Amino acid sequence: MIELPELHGRPGPTAPWWERRASWIYDCLLGSLLPDQGETGISYPLEHVLLGTLHLPGGELAAGDPYVMGAEPLIFSRRLGADVVEVVATVAGDERMATLLLLAGSNPVCGWAMATSADDDVCDLAAEDYRGYPVDSGTGALGSPAAMRRVGQALADDAGRMRDPLSAAIHAEIGTCSGMIASLDEGPAAVAICSSGWGDGDYPTWLGLDDTGAVMVAFTDFLLTSDPYQTIGHEDVMPISWWRRLLGR
């Protein structure tokens, strides 16, 4: 059984929207149930799947779409509290990826930060905006900066021919509900890869902090549903039920 760190306290009503969403989503992960904000009373069960471990030297973390980022992934400025983390894929009831989560410690989560690069400034965000990494091939990935650069460059060099060994492994394993730990060869330089919720978009990564400010959990939120705190819509945040009707599922 996968045990996530406890959640101690929740952001108040004056906290930024993104902070309240991060806490709400994590609460949903703890309860293994994701409410559909588009239809009152409807919730979807969440399944946590342990994919394996990931090496992050110095706790450095990078993110991106491995098929479009090339050798330039988004490198987060805040480091995780461990060099080796467990990777957990969370799948919503309709077989869509809800989050890709890294476990870096077991201390209770007492606060939240948005994963950003050194060039980002969250102070100028609009009321319900966020910083995220772009996805243009329906695929998201997390890993060390070195591993992500190597994977991104190899896929760029392949130029979409899918002849590289990583693509062969990915397309043999990944569907709408799948994720995996993958590398170009044997060794610790691997990345965590998964399908990205409803597909292309910009996806935020939330960092759960203990009472010392150390990062215990980091997870990409694939924005499967809106949340109770939104007052305006996002193109990338749509109720699961809306998409099911659109796709005839």
Side-chain angles (χ1 to χ4, degrees):
M1 181 176 178
I2 299 171
E3 292 190 11
L4 304 181
E6 296 178 1
L7 179 62
H8 284 189
R10 291 163 179 78
T14 61
W17 164 80
W18 63 263
E19 189 174 341
R20 288 184 286 168
R21 177 177 175 88
S23 181
W24 177 76
I25 286 289
Y26 189 70
D27 219 2
C28 293
L29 299 183
L30 290 173
S32 296
L33 202 64
L34 179 65
D36 188 334
Q37 298 301 302
E39 293 191 10
T40 304
I42 296 179
S43 297
Y44 300 92
L46 297 174
E47 178 185 3
H48 304 301
V49 181
L50 181 63
L51 300 182
T53 59
L54 200 61
H55 290 254
L56 302 174
E60 284 191 287
L61 180 64
D65 181 332
Y67 284 96
V68 299
M69 69 185 183
E72 299 297 331
L74 179 65
I75 300 175
F76 298 132
S77 55
R78 193 156 191 163
R79 299 190 178 200
L80 275 59
D83 292 342
V84 179
V85 299
E86 291 187 318
V87 182
V88 178
T90 302
V91 185
D94 70 337
E95 301 185 345
R96 292 279 168 176
M97 291 292 297
T99 69
L100 183 62
L101 182 145
L102 307 182
L103 282 172
S106 58
N107 293 342
V109 172
C110 301
W112 294 95
M114 186 188 309
T116 58
S117 72
D119 297 328
D120 287 329
D121 182 2
V122 299
C123 295
D124 62 1
L125 290 177
E128 295 178 14
D129 202 0
Y130 58 87
R131 293 285 187 262
Y133 62 87
V135 169
D136 199 35
S137 75
T139 310
L142 297 172
S144 71
M148 290 286 284
R149 288 191 188 103
R150 187 176 179 208
V151 164
Q153 187 62 63
L155 295 182
D157 291 343
D158 184 65
R161 293 171 295 179
M162 305 298 178
R163 295 175 182 173
D164 63 282
L166 189 64
S167 291
I170 291 171
H171 289 280
E173 296 291 337
I174 288 186
T176 57
C177 62
S178 301
M180 64 187 297
I181 306 292
S183 62
L184 292 170
D185 48 34
E186 295 296 327
V191 299
I193 299 178
C194 70
S195 55
S196 55
W198 294 111
D200 300 342
D202 283 85
Y203 297 109
T205 299
W206 312 126
L207 306 176
L209 315 177
D210 70 6
D211 59 2
T212 71
V215 179
M216 295 292 102
V217 299
F219 65 92
T220 295
D221 177 359
F222 286 118
L223 305 176
L224 287 188
T225 70
S226 58
D227 56 71
Y229 311 110
Q230 285 173 296
T231 58
I232 60 175
H234 289 293
E235 291 182 0
D236 299 323
V237 185
M238 299 297 291
I240 288 178
S241 55
W242 188 94
W243 283 98
R244 288 174 71 101
R245 288 195 296 270
L246 177 66
L247 299 173
R249 297 179 58 182

